[in-house]
Amino acid sequence: MKKHTTLILAGLMTASGSVMAADLYVSPEGKDSNSGAKQAPVASLAKARDLARGKQAVTVHVADGVYYLPETLVFTPADSGVTYKAVNEGGAVLSGGSKLDLKWSPYKDGVFMAKTPAGLHIDQLFINGTNQRMARYPNYDASKKTDAYQGYSADAFSKERAANWKDPAGGYIHAMHRSRWGGYHYVITGKDENGEVTYEGGWQNNRQMGMHKDYRMVENIFEELDAPGEWFHNAKSGILYYMPEEGADLKSAVVEVVRLRHLVEFQGTIEAPVKDITLQGFTVRHAARTFMDTKEQMLRSDWAIYRGGAFMLTGTENVSILDCEFDQVGGNAVFVNNYNRGTLVKGCHIHDTGASGVCFVGDPDAVRDPLFEYRETNDFDTMDRTAGPKTKNYPAEGTVEDCLIHGIGRVERQPAGVQIEMAMKITIRDTSVYDTARAGINVGDGAWGGHLIERVDVFDTVLETHDHGSFNSWGRDRFWHKDRSYTQKYVDKEPNLPFLDAMHTTVIRDSRWRCDHGWDIDLDDGSSNYDIYNNLMLNGGLKFREGFRRRAWNNIMVNNGFYPHVWYNDSGDEFFSNIVMKPPSGANVPTKTAKGKRVDRNLFWTGFPEEMEWYLISKWDVNSVYGDPLFKDPANGDFSVKEGSPAFEIGFKNFPMDQFGVKKPALKAIAQTPVIPELKHERTKPRQPPENATLATYWLGAKLQGLEGEDFSAYGTRKEDGGVALIDVPAASAAAKAGLKSGDLVQGLNGKTVKTLDDLLKAYAEAGNAPLELKIVRNQQPETITVKGIPFLEIKTEGAPAASGRKVTANKSTKNDPLASLTDGKLAESYGPIFANSESGAAYKMELEKVMPVTSITSWSYNQGGSRGVQKVTLYGSASEKDPGWRFYDTARFTPLGSFDTSKLPESEFSGVSLKAPAGASLGEFRWIIWQVQPVSERGENTAFQELTVE
């Protein structure tokens, strides 16, 4: 570790006139021809660097003032061992721009104009230190904090809108990703002969799915200059147009424009690193926007990145950036690129960046078998099995400490306060991150883990995007395949496969999180090898998507709970000793082939103890408890529990509630804190039970789930597109034989949109015996498949059923007619043997005397009172020799055949609904057939069934 010794040798000179002192001085009043002594300061940091080169333990003192850098300040290995320190913290400003001396004159409609120097190109305009907005449509509205671009319009660059633009070339289109996973940016190249806007770009997101149809904005269009604070620069004529805010005095205004992308660069290598340089106390301004060069794909994450920032570090050891303010830079603030060791960013205020705050990003060539685009896959039979990185060309042992980071992603919509990609053992502690378009902290892959995140305060995140978290991670590493079954097969043989890249455990602890537009902590695709404990999650809960060895304990989830999404079997995941306020919300979890290691000993603060029993069939929460956790002072953010709390029964231990976020007094005094939510002790039962349930919906023998809330994340689609998920497709089911798989999401059937379960059942009923053309999402990619030769529904309104006289029983009491009337071959204008109002999950069972092939199952109903003719039925078959009972979730005894709902179909006096096998086939061989029914009206009335037949 370097030591700096201050020596008073200001006047000592060598024969050549160079300074031998350990202190050099820089001042705006200095001259680069000076010696650098205190009485003779130089004018530029570049000159001070040159004077210090080759010497050790030099401190460069930089006086207050604005230093407009004529070019990027570059440090090489020869510049090692020097501290550059502002005399007064924040007083020395490093600017990548220029100050303009302009003469303004009125143009029209409140717009002023001024002549600019020849050859000037302006990317950003600052008036009195504040970044102004390019002329844009629609106009900026600061009150629309969570609206895309604080103002959007579907017609942003429509032909009709562009008809008013004389020459839009050089303008920009900004549009959200179709699924709101970040944004895209395009430069307008002009208009074609039809008046349509032409443009190029759209490479800023790794998941190429096209721009959102509504969330769009254009800027740098002269004709859209119509709001205070907007400007437009005509580079050809050299005229700047600007509409000032009311009352602004342009004559006295300080006008600055941006020139440089990078203000400071450290240029070293693994073999010859830049060492032991400290930059302390500077304000950093006027770095150019870089969104059109955000092109480099990361390792199968959703992100692309621009490899650069206002401060760019490559090939360094023990470089420190201390007590600096990064003020409105256009791209990333600090970029730690490839080989860097021991980087320290401490006590810094980073705000209103165009892209991310601090980025640690390694070299893809350091990764073994790297893949980039989401759909790329490795061949596991030939894949490198060597653990860890291939080279040293990545950041490691870097730290972001005691920083305040906010206003992240003012230009780009795929940013993070702190971004980690292809790096090892990065620490983030005592830091506040808020007001960001996407993540607060993002880890893009598992290579190579070992990160420590502690005592952070992260909130107001994912403000304009979707399907993300205050903390977000991916782990689409070598072991990850878009087809989970492929990964599962190999991991079953090689349990260490997920840890070839995620070789060190990442720890998230003692922190506070709040995300109102996603999850508080979101471990997405493949994220593996995490320990998460002592965290207060204020809104979005915790998500574990497919991955291995994630452990979460001693966390508090306010008004929410745990989201297990599409797990691998025997994943090793654990969730225990947590306080939650909702039951787990699983997506295709738990199932027999999607099990963790331990989900147990949690405290549920819920209104119904049966919520705890929701997952008991999977042996989840067998030893969990429920009750009021007895928080000490939740209204003021203290969620510690009082003596006597049932939380102590499950092993919970209190952790500090006053240590979250930035500690530096000057920054803590201005840092915001999250809104503490009002406790919502909702008395709600589980929305859709899993395997142990008596109510479920099936189609072609596959179990269905309608999506809601954040379930859409599991399928990589948008809420507005909807869909019905196949959460379990048994191998012997008609769905499996038709080529459908567990995890498929149906969004269309024969040209009809499928957003809900009702949509799917209606479209299926209307299709009859025709082939089905399905639009599905599989492994987060859209596909179209054609299904033929499957069971179908036939709706009948005429004809008389044949009497069978078979025995029918019911699991709940019926009224009116006897059960025998269901097999007498008569359709009567009566209730039939009907279940009581609001009786849900009731069922009729028919015995066929022996196991036999079944080709058709029909139920007839009478439209009694205009409301009881609708049929909502789920059919099961059983080949049991003895009466199989009524536990339909027992797949050893019951085979689900399908569900139907005729409430959306035309009504008639008598209605027959037949589930029929295709010609020459059967629905299966059964001895028992079950019709499980649900109420059909708002009043809870049950159907007036008249006849049940089986052929």
Side-chain angles (χ1 to χ4, degrees), residues 432-693:
S432 296
V433 184
Y434 56 87
D435 187 13
T436 168
R438 200 92 171 112
I441 298 171
N442 185 74
V443 177
D445 47 62
W448 290 271
H451 313 306
L452 172 62
I453 300 165
E454 61 181 356
R455 298 190 302 275
V456 300
D457 198 11
V458 185
F459 56 98
D460 281 356
T461 61
V462 198
L463 291 180
E464 299 175 55
T465 54
H466 172 68
D467 190 6
H468 215 57
S470 287
F471 174 87
N472 182 82
S473 64
W474 289 290
R476 298 171 187 147
D477 306 328
R478 273 178 281 178
F479 83 90
W480 188 87
H481 195 284
K482 62 186 181 182
D483 182 350
R484 286 188 300 279
S485 63
Y486 187 82
T487 290
Q488 188 75 62
K489 179 177 70 172
Y490 282 87
V491 174
D492 286 345
K493 299 176 184 177
E494 304 174 66
N496 193 52
L497 204 61
F499 309 107
L500 296 179
D501 293 309
M503 55 193 300
H504 301 292
T505 301
T506 291
V507 175
I508 304 174
R509 67 188 182 194
D510 299 306
S511 297
R512 181 168 64 186
W513 310 85
R514 176 165 183 163
C515 185
D516 289 13
H517 309 279
W519 293 273
D520 294 336
I521 297 179
D522 179 2
L523 270 58
D524 213 342
D525 301 5
S527 300
S528 298
N529 205 359
Y530 278 79
D531 281 352
I532 301 173
Y533 60 92
N534 293 1
N535 292 280
L536 175 61
M537 304 179 209
L538 292 175
N539 188 76
L542 171 66
K543 178 180 129 189
F544 283 3
R545 189 182 162 98
E546 54 188 11
F548 291 89
R549 200 214 158 274
R550 285 82 57 90
R551 303 172 69 242
W553 73 93
N554 218 70
N555 302 287
I556 300 170
M557 297 168 204
V558 179
N559 297 336
N560 216 320
F562 183 40
Y563 290 81
H565 281 190
V566 290
W567 282 8
Y568 296 106
N569 199 32
D570 298 321
S571 64
D573 291 328
E574 298 183 79
F575 183 82
F576 61 96
S577 299
N578 300 287
I579 299 174
V580 295
M581 294 179 65
K582 288 185 178 180
S585 182
N588 203 24
V589 176
T591 67
K592 293 180 179 179
T593 57
K595 300 187 298 293
K597 180 179 180 180
R598 174 171 46 153
V599 180
D600 203 3
R601 293 186 62 80
N602 297 296
L603 169 60
F604 290 83
W605 191 12
T606 56
F608 291 87
E610 56 264 39
E611 285 184 335
M612 277 193 344
E613 301 170 9
W614 188 16
Y615 284 114
L616 290 185
I617 194 169
S618 296
K619 298 182 180 179
W620 280 20
D621 292 308
V622 173
N623 299 296
S624 293
V625 299
Y626 64 94
D628 187 341
L630 302 179
F631 294 130
K632 288 182 180 179
D633 189 9
N636 291 303
D638 186 355
F639 288 85
S640 300
V641 298
K642 302 174 185 176
E643 185 176 351
S645 168
F648 295 124
E649 298 177 27
I650 51 100
F652 181 84
K653 298 179 180 179
N654 281 323
F655 55 91
M657 293 281 163
D658 58 356
Q659 297 295 310
F660 307 126
V662 66
K663 306 294 189 298
K664 182 178 175 181
L667 297 180
K668 188 172 183 178
I670 62 173
Q672 296 180 19
T673 55
V675 173
I676 303 301
E678 181 180 349
L679 294 180
K680 297 178 181 178
H681 187 203
E682 298 177 351
R683 294 176 63 83
T684 55
K685 291 186 178 181
R687 57 181 174 80
Q688 186 168 342
E691 293 184 7
N692 60 324

Side-chain angles (χ1 to χ4, degrees), residues 758-818:
D758 286 347
D759 292 340
L760 177 59
L761 297 182
K762 180 176 183 293
Y764 174 60
E766 292 175 340
N769 197 20
L772 305 183
E773 184 176 90
L774 301 176
K775 290 186 177 180
I776 66 170
V777 175
R778 176 176 290 169
N779 299 321
Q780 299 196 20
Q781 298 297 321
E783 295 184 19
T784 299
I785 63 174
T786 300
V787 174
K788 300 178 181 180
I790 57 170
F792 61 95
L793 287 179
E794 182 178 84
I795 310 299
K796 305 176 181 180
T797 57
E798 296 179 353
S804 69
R806 286 173 173 153
K807 181 181 179 181
V808 175
T809 57
N811 64 343
K812 297 181 181 180
S813 61
T814 58
K815 299 179 181 180
N816 296 85
D817 298 327

Side-chain angles (χ1 to χ4, degrees), residues 30 36 73 96 166 184 256 319 352 379 387 395 424 430 462 476 479 484 518 567 579 605 720 735 745 751 865 927:
L73 180 64
K166 181 179 179 181
Y184 296 112
E256 295 167 301
V319 165
D352 300 293
D379 181 347
M424 185 189 296
D430 297 326
V462 198
R476 298 171 187 147
F479 83 90
R484 286 188 300 279
W567 282 8
I579 299 174
W605 191 12
E720 53 262 46
L745 185 73
R927 182 171 180 170

Side-chain angles (χ1 to χ4, degrees), residues 346-364:
K346 184 175 181 180
C348 291
H349 185 193
I350 301 172
H351 63 93
D352 300 293
T353 64
S356 292
V358 183
C359 302
F360 296 90
V361 182
D363 177 9

Side-chain angles (χ1 to χ4, degrees), residues 52 120 178 295 322 415 465 468 509 596 651 691 798 814 838 867 902-905 945:
L120 181 68
R178 180 180 181 273
K295 297 181 177 181
L322 310 178
T465 54
H468 215 57
R509 67 188 182 194
E691 293 184 7
E798 296 179 353
T814 58
S838 301
S867 59
T902 66
S903 60
K904 306 295 183 182
L905 301 179
F945 284 99

